[in-house]
Each structure stands twice: as C-alpha cells, then as structure tokens.
Amino acid sequence: HLLASLNAYNQTEKGREHLAKMITPLFDSNEQCIGFFVTLPGYDGGYQRVFVQDVLVHGNGNDTHADIASIFEKAFVQSHMGGTQGKFPSWGASGSFSAWTMKDISGENATPTFRGGFDLGVMKVAAVNGIKAERPVVAESSMFTHDTTVTTPDGARKKIQIVSQHAYTVVGADENGVTLTNPWGTNVIPGSKDGAKATFTMSWRDFYDNFGDVPVGRIP
C-alpha cells in the first residue's frame, strides 16, 4: 500500500514536487550526507517528522542501495508505534489501506470507491476521472483473484497472477481498459520461473473480477 501510493504520487510533476518537499537531507561538516529528515503531514494532531539513517533489511532497498522509496518506507515504519507489525491491533505500518496511506503522505483525505452490488462501473469512473485530473490513483485487489491474461508494454499477451489483497498503482485508465503497475517490480507468470514486467493493461471486465476498490488521493 505504501509503495503503490508513493508511485501514484510519482506519476505527475505536481506529485513528484510534493514528495521532494517531504525529504530534507542532512550533511555533516565534511558535506557528506548522513541521513534524511522525512516529514509525513497526515497524522492526527499534526505532521510527523522522523530522521532516517538506514533502510529496512527486508524492505524495498538494502544497506548498499537506498532509493527514495526505501527512505520513505523506513520513515513510514518509524512513524508508527507498532513498527513493521500489522495495522491492527499493534498500529504498525503493515497491512493498511491505501486511502489511509495517501492521507499520511499528503495530509489530505483520499476517496476510496468500492465496487457496489451490480454497479461495478463506479470503480472505472473513479479511476478514469482521477487520472484525467492528475491525481494519485491506486487499485486494491479483492480477497479472491484469478490468473488473468493481460497486455504487457511491448504488446505481448501473457497470463499473470493477480495477487490477492494487494495494492497496484493505476498509471492509466480510459474507456478501453486500465493500466496498472505492481509495486513489487514484477509479476508472477503461473507455472513459469520467469516473471513478467511490473506494468500491464487489462480490460475493465477482468479488472472487476479481481479488484474491489479504487482509492483516489489528493496533492496539497
């Protein structure tokens, strides 16, 4: 939910500017960067400002390569009293919802649109309008998903595993379908040791079969 949300903000220039403002590097007397102050604005009672000097061992980065996502990831964990534990009951950073995470990132309430009854098209409307407005958009898969044939960026058709209860960044949406990115950086091809690229396009019918809600965030 965090990496998918960060990537959603990273899709537009305004979103990237906001993410950049959240991080302030700290230099020592030798002008060597020794860490980063990260400000997360969307917390009850005001913003959280944490100091990051390392990254998670089993997180997005590692000790020799810390990208901006891994810095945010460590800051997000440090800002939760439950650390890397689940949201409930420990109030940790794991197992949360993208709408809540988007508020932590922006300080602005996000709007989740859930599939309701027979009106599955509400998620399509939310995604298409969100992308048109250059707002961050995420799609969260349901508990019951299916291996689905999708179109990869090179135009190939491949069957991939849609991970259940997982968050994907919406990078494009129109009347013809929706383009998603898996924040894990790859997708599983069932029955194969090879992986598929993280970004793929699927039809709205397949989207409705696999996804349960579309949170749309705001950029302050």
Side-chain angles (χ1 to χ4, degrees), residues 57-191:
V57 174
H58 300 293
N60 183 67
N62 55 57
D63 289 337
T64 59
H65 176 72
D67 59 18
I68 189 171
S70 63
I71 295 169
F72 272 117
E73 185 179 50
K74 184 62 186 298
F76 193 74
V77 168
Q78 289 180 199
S79 69
H80 285 71
M81 64 181 183
T84 59
Q85 299 181 75
K87 193 76 170 180
F88 305 105
S90 304
W91 213 247
S94 301
S96 186
F97 299 102
S98 299
W100 293 355
T101 302
M102 286 179 171
K103 183 178 180 181
D104 292 341
I105 293 171
S106 68
E108 304 280 346
N109 287 326
T111 303
T113 299
F114 299 93
R115 56 182 298 167
F118 295 103
D119 189 11
L120 304 178
V122 293
M123 295 193 296
K124 171 183 173 181
V125 172
V128 171
N129 289 344
I131 292 297
K132 284 182 178 179
E134 296 190 339
R135 292 171 61 180
V137 185
V138 170
E140 295 180 319
S141 59
S142 60
M143 183 180 298
F144 304 103
T145 58
H146 313 278
D147 295 343
T148 303
T149 300
V150 301
T151 303
T152 59
D154 59 3
R157 297 282 288 168
K158 292 185 178 180
K159 179 173 284 189
I160 65 170
Q161 176 190 37
I162 305 299
V163 183
S164 65
Q165 297 179 294
H166 184 46
Y168 293 76
T169 304
V170 178
V171 298
D174 57 27
E175 290 298 321
N176 299 316
V178 57
T179 301
L180 308 169
T181 293
N182 188 335
W184 290 347
T186 187
N187 288 293
V188 173
I189 299 176

Side-chain angles (χ1 to χ4, degrees), residues 182-202:
N182 188 335
W184 290 347
T186 187
N187 288 293
V188 173
I189 299 176
S192 173
K193 294 182 179 180
D194 297 327
K197 292 182 178 180
T199 301
F200 60 92
T201 300
M202 67 193 323

Side-chain angles (χ1 to χ4, degrees), residues 20-89:
K21 290 177 182 177
M22 293 172 64
I23 296 183
T24 303
L26 178 66
F27 298 91
D28 62 15
S29 58
N30 295 318
E31 298 186 357
Q32 296 294 315
C33 181
I34 58 174
F36 302 88
F37 287 105
V38 181
T39 301
L40 297 164
Y43 285 75
D44 292 337
Y47 64 84
Q48 289 270 3
R49 192 168 191 248
V50 298
F51 184 57
V52 174
Q53 287 185 292
D54 56 8
V55 297
L56 300 178
V57 174
H58 300 293
N60 183 67
N62 55 57
D63 289 337
T64 59
H65 176 72
D67 59 18
I68 189 171
S70 63
I71 295 169
F72 272 117
E73 185 179 50
K74 184 62 186 298
F76 193 74
V77 168
Q78 289 180 199
S79 69
H80 285 71
M81 64 181 183
T84 59
Q85 299 181 75
K87 193 76 170 180
F88 305 105

